[in-house]
Every structure is written in C-alpha cells, then in structure tokens.
Amino acid sequence: MNEIIKKNGITFGIITGVLSVLITTSIYIVDLSLMTKWWLGLSILALYIIIGCVLLVKTKKDLGGYMSFKEGFTTYFISALIGIAISVIYNILLFNVIDPEAAIRLKELTLESTVQMLEKFGTPTSAIKETVDKMKDYNQFSTIEQLKGSIWSIVGSAIFGAILAAIFKKDKPVF
C-alpha cells in the first residue's frame, strides 16, 4: 500500500476519532438532550464530509495532483474505520462503564423527543404507543448494539467514501 495513502488515512482517522470523542464529551457535559436533536446530527455529518473532502484533496496533492478512485476510496475508508473504532470504543466506555446513568437518561430523552415528533406529525395514539413499547425494550447503548451500529456507520462511510473518491479522482493522462 502506498505510504501516502496509509499515512493520510491513519492521521485523518485519528483526527476524526478524537473529534468525535470531543464532540460527544462536550455534549455530555453541556446538555445530554442535544444528542436527540436532528440538526446537531446533520451538522456533525456535514463536518465529517468536509473533513473527508480535505483528506482527499490533501491526498491528491501529496500524490502529485493525480489520484485514482481506488486510492481515494482506500484513503477515506482507512480514515473512516479508525475514526469509527475510536468513537465506538469511547461511547461503549462512556455509556456502559463511566456513566451508565447517562445512557438511561438519554434513552428517556430520546423517547420523549420521538413521542413529540410523532404527535407533531399527527401519528395515531396506537402507533405512538407501539413505537414507545418497542423503544423501551431496546438498549441502543449496549456494547452489542453499539457494535451493530458501527457496522452501519462503516457501510454509510463506504458509500460517502465512494462518492467523494469519484468526485476527487483525477487519473494520470495516458500518452
């Protein structure tokens, strides 16, 4: 594997993972209910896309101005795997070891937020009750569920990585 691809992927993966830990910790300290806000989730997603763009621009520059789709995707994917691993390990520790009460409180906040949203959209009471019953039985912060969630994060990152790699690729001219 090209050393530039490996170095950039690892460096940006660590940056992304540490940033995720800092964001989660900040929200945890400031107001746990922020974790239920859709606009915050979209803002964080936009930040990660920007970081991915910076990663691929830097990698293309470091490779002499040319980067194949494979090189771009590989760099992004390495970064995503490392960032997701750091984030998931931290979340498992935070919500299962350091402060399991925060997971319980966040579950309650998520339930409240979901009920409010469903009521706002005029969802029938029976459907709301069914949704609440399902949510009560689900522990999104358990180690197993966090690991399952990381698989979906990896899949989503692969899709974003493929899109960004296609956008930023620039093949060497053939003469």
Side-chain angles (χ1 to χ4, degrees):
M1 176 183 297
N2 184 310
E3 284 303 312
I4 293 169
I5 291 170
K6 189 170 25 174
K7 178 180 149 283
N8 287 352
I10 291 170
T11 301
F12 276 78
I14 292 170
I15 290 169
T16 304
V18 169
L19 184 63
S20 175
V21 167
L22 291 173
I23 290 169
T24 301
T25 303
S26 298
I27 294 169
Y28 171 79
I29 291 169
V30 172
D31 182 4
L32 207 54
S33 70
L34 289 172
M35 286 192 188
T36 66
K37 306 299 183 195
W38 64 269
W39 56 266
L40 183 62
L42 287 179
S43 299
I44 293 169
L45 179 62
L47 177 64
Y48 291 139
I49 291 171
I50 291 167
I51 291 170
C53 291
V54 170
L55 165 63
L56 294 183
V57 166
K58 179 182 180 350
T59 301
K60 183 165 48 171
K61 180 181 174 219
D62 291 350
L63 290 171
Y66 299 100
M67 180 177 70
S68 69
F69 173 84
K70 180 182 177 183
E71 291 168 328
F73 180 77
T74 302
T75 306
Y76 186 90
F77 196 69
I78 290 169
S79 173
L81 284 177
I82 292 170
I84 291 166
I86 292 169
S87 178
V88 169
I89 290 167
Y90 179 74
N91 286 339
I92 289 170
L93 289 173
L94 177 62
F95 293 115
N96 292 282
V97 178
I98 298 168
D99 190 1
E101 294 297 318
I104 294 166
R105 178 68 184 131
L106 192 51
K107 183 176 180 177
E108 292 168 357
L109 291 168
T110 303
L111 268 168
E112 291 170 14
S113 175
T114 302
V115 168
Q116 288 173 359
M117 182 189 66
L118 291 173
E119 287 174 343
K120 183 178 167 184
F121 290 123
T123 305
T125 306
S126 61
I128 293 173
K129 184 182 177 333
E130 183 180 328
T131 300
V132 167
D133 289 342
K134 286 180 185 175
M135 288 179 72
K136 283 182 179 177
D137 294 336
Y138 177 69
N139 180 6
Q140 71 192 61
F141 299 104
S142 72
T143 300
I144 296 296
E145 291 305 322
Q146 296 248 1
L147 293 172
K148 284 182 190 176
S150 70
I151 292 169
W152 289 110
S153 293
I154 291 167
V155 169
S157 292
I159 292 167
F160 276 120
I163 292 167
L164 292 176
I167 291 169
F168 287 99
K169 80 178 181 97
K170 183 176 181 186
D171 294 323
K172 292 180 182 176
V174 180
F175 289 101

